[in-house]
Amino acid sequence: MDRIPILNLKPQLAALRAEIQAAMDEVLDATAFINGPAVRAFEASAAQYLGVKHAVGLNSGTDALVIGLRALGIGPGDEVITSPFSFFATAESISTVGATPVFVDIDGESFNIDVSLIEAAITERTKAILPVHLFGRPAEMEALLSLANKHNLVVLEDCAQSIGARYDGDGDGARHQTGSLGDAGAFSFFPTKNLGAYGDGGLLVTDRDDVAQTARKLSNHGSIERYRNEILGYNSRLDSLQAAVLNVKLPHLDAWNEGRRAVAGRYNELLGDIPGVVTPQITPGHVFHQYTVRLAGVDPAGGRDAVVERMAAAGVSAMVYYPLPQDELPVYAGRFPACPVSHRLGAEVLSLPIWPELDGETQSRVASALAAAL
Ligand SMILES: Cc1ncc(COP(=O)(O)O)c(C=O)c1O
C-alpha cells in the first residue's frame, strides 16, 4: 500500500496545471519579472478578498512579519506580546527588529494565546500584541483587540496559517477575515500553506495608509521613488511568477478550505472514540491548515514520539507542530519564564495528514494506524 504523506499537493496541481502554466507563460512573454502586472493584480484581488484597503506583496511570511512590525513603529526597547506555541518566524521577527518577545501562555483547547493572561504581561514598554491564528483557527480577537485598545497597543496578526479563516467576534454572524481585524496582518504563501505559491511569497495587509506606505518603502530598499532611498529597508518583493500562480489559485481558496473542514469533520468522527485522543473543535471560520490532536494519556518523555514512529512504520506520516515552544528553543533557552500549557502540549500534539482532496478511505487508514500505534 502507498505511504500516506502529511500533505499531497499533486491533486491541486493536476486540476490547475494548464491554467498555471499559461499564467506563468504570460509573465515569461512579458518579461516582467519584478513588480509586473501579475503582482499588482494579485495585490488588488487579495485586498478585495480579505476586505482590506491595502495589500503589499513581499518575499515571505517572515518578511511580512518583520516589515509589518517595523511599519507599525516597533523597534529596540519595545516589548511585543505573542504566543510561545508557533513556528519560530513569529518570535524571530520580533527579535529581528530589535524588540523583545514576551511569551504569554496558550489556551490548551485552541492552541492560541490565552487572552485572559495578556493584561498581566503588559508593562510600560509593551507596544504591540502579535497573535497567531495557529493551525487556521482564529485567535480570540474581540477580547484581544479591546485590551489593545485599552492599553494603546498596536496589533499585528500572524495569518501565515489562517488565510481564508473568518472570525465572528460579537456572534452576529458577520464574519471577518483574519488579517483584517488588527492594525495589520501578515500572510505566507510557502508552498504548504492553504494558499501556497511554488516558492516563497508573503503579503502584508492593512487598512492604514501610513503602514502600507512604509511597508512598501521598506520592501524596496527604503524607497518609493527610484534612487531616492529614505530609510534602511530590504529587498523583499513578491515575485511575478509566484503572483501568477497565486492569481490562478486564489479563486479556489474558499472551496479548498471547505474541503479541509470536511476532512477535519470526518477525522473527528473516526477518532472521537479512541481513548486518550483529544480532537480539535470545528469552530466557525477555522480553516484547518493543520489537523492536530492531543494525545492526553502518553508519557510526556517520548510517548508521543513513539506513536509517530509506529505510525511511520505502518506507512502513515504524522508530524509534530511544535515539539519545542519558541521560548524553549536553543536561541532563547533560559531567557524567559516557563509557559506550562504550551510546554505540556509540545509533548502531546500530533498533526495528521490533511489536504482538501483527502478521501475518507485514506482517512480511515490514518485513524486505524493511530489507534494501533497507541
Ligand atoms: C505561524 C507562522 N508564522 C510565520 C511563518 C513564516 O512564513 P514564511 O515561511 O513564508 O517565511 C510561518 C510559516 O512558515 C508560520 O507557520
Side-chain angles (χ1 to χ4, degrees):
M1 253 192 291
D2 285 346
R3 184 173 185 79
I4 303 174
I6 189 78
L7 170 67
N8 182 3
L9 294 172
K10 288 181 182 164
Q12 194 183 86
L13 176 61
L16 296 176
R17 184 190 286 269
E19 237 183 297
I20 287 174
Q21 281 188 328
M24 291 178 109
D25 274 344
E26 214 174 294
V27 174
L28 300 186
D29 288 337
T31 61
F33 300 113
I34 304 286
N35 284 336
V39 176
R40 297 288 96 89
F42 178 69
E43 289 176 337
S45 41
Q48 193 189 24
Y49 172 77
L50 295 167
V52 290
K53 196 165 168 198
H54 305 282
V56 181
L58 300 167
N59 210 38
S60 67
T62 305
D63 282 8
L65 289 169
V66 169
I67 288 174
L69 286 168
R70 278 194 61 193
L72 289 166
I74 309 303
D78 297 336
E79 289 177 359
V80 178
I81 289 175
T82 195
S83 165
F85 205 65
S86 182
F87 178 62
F88 177 53
T90 306
E92 185 184 32
S93 67
I94 298 169
S95 295
T96 295
V97 304
T100 303
V102 173
F103 297 106
V104 167
D105 210 351
I106 57 169
D107 159 62
E109 214 297 312
S110 69
F111 304 118
N112 283 325
I113 193 165
D114 183 342
V115 179
S116 71
L117 303 178
I118 290 181
E119 197 154 34
I122 295 174
T123 72
E124 72 279 3
R125 301 172 87 177
T126 309
K127 289 286 160 46
I129 308 177
L130 203 173
V132 183
H133 306 297
L134 200 76
F135 305 148
R137 175 169 171 165
E140 263 320 310
M141 290 302 287
E142 195 182 19
L144 188 148
L145 290 169
S146 88
L147 268 180
N149 205 18
K150 178 173 163 197
H151 294 275
N152 208 13
L153 309 174
V154 294
V155 174
L156 173 62
E157 299 171 66
D158 184 336
C159 310
Q161 302 187 5
S162 73
I163 192 157
R166 268 84 159 179
Y167 177 77
D168 176 7
D170 48 15
D172 69 350
R175 303 222 199 106
H176 300 280
Q177 291 272 0
T178 57
S180 71
L181 305 159
D183 291 83
F187 291 87
S188 163
F189 305 122
F190 188 79
T192 59
K193 296 294 195 270
N194 289 25
L195 180 65
Y198 291 160
D200 279 307
L203 191 77
L204 187 78
V205 304
T206 180
D207 281 331
R208 285 178 50 178
D209 296 344
D210 60 327
V211 173
Q213 163 96 354
T214 309
R216 210 170 271 293
K217 201 183 280 186
L218 285 167
S219 76
N220 197 37
H221 302 286
S223 77
I224 294 285
E225 200 185 320
R226 194 182 292 229
Y227 305 131
R228 292 204 67 84
N229 307 73
E230 301 166 44
I231 50 177
L232 291 178
Y234 311 89
N235 176 356
S236 180
R237 295 169 294 234
L238 179 63
D239 183 273
S240 293
L241 283 167
Q242 301 309 335
V245 174
L246 294 168
N247 281 328
V248 175
K249 286 189 168 197
L250 180 61
H252 301 277
L253 178 60
D254 282 343
W256 290 334
N257 283 341
E258 271 311 311
R260 288 172 175 275
R261 288 174 58 82
V263 168
R266 284 200 298 269
Y267 268 141
N268 275 9
E269 280 173 23
L270 288 163
L271 305 174
D273 295 333
I274 304 179
V277 176
V278 183
T279 55
Q281 284 179 355
I282 304 184
T283 52
H286 191 329
V287 293
F288 284 93
H289 173 60
Q290 298 298 344
Y291 178 87
T292 303
V293 298
R294 284 174 52 195
L295 304 183
V298 292
D299 175 0
R304 184 268 326 276
D305 296 342
V307 169
V308 173
E309 280 168 28
R310 287 196 283 270
M311 288 181 75
V316 176
S317 307
M319 297 286 280
V320 175
Y321 308 110
Y322 297 89
L324 279 183
Q326 300 185 93
D327 57 304
E328 297 178 38
L329 292 169
V331 57
Y332 291 140
R335 277 181 48 193
F336 296 103
C339 294
V341 179
S342 139
H343 178 79
R344 194 181 76 238
L345 262 61
E348 292 182 358
V349 287
L350 183 72
S351 298
L352 301 180
I354 188 165
W355 60 90
E357 304 84 358
L358 180 58
D359 63 274
E361 205 177 307
T362 309
Q363 284 192 260
S364 299
R365 269 182 65 200
V366 174
S368 309
L370 174 57
L374 280 165

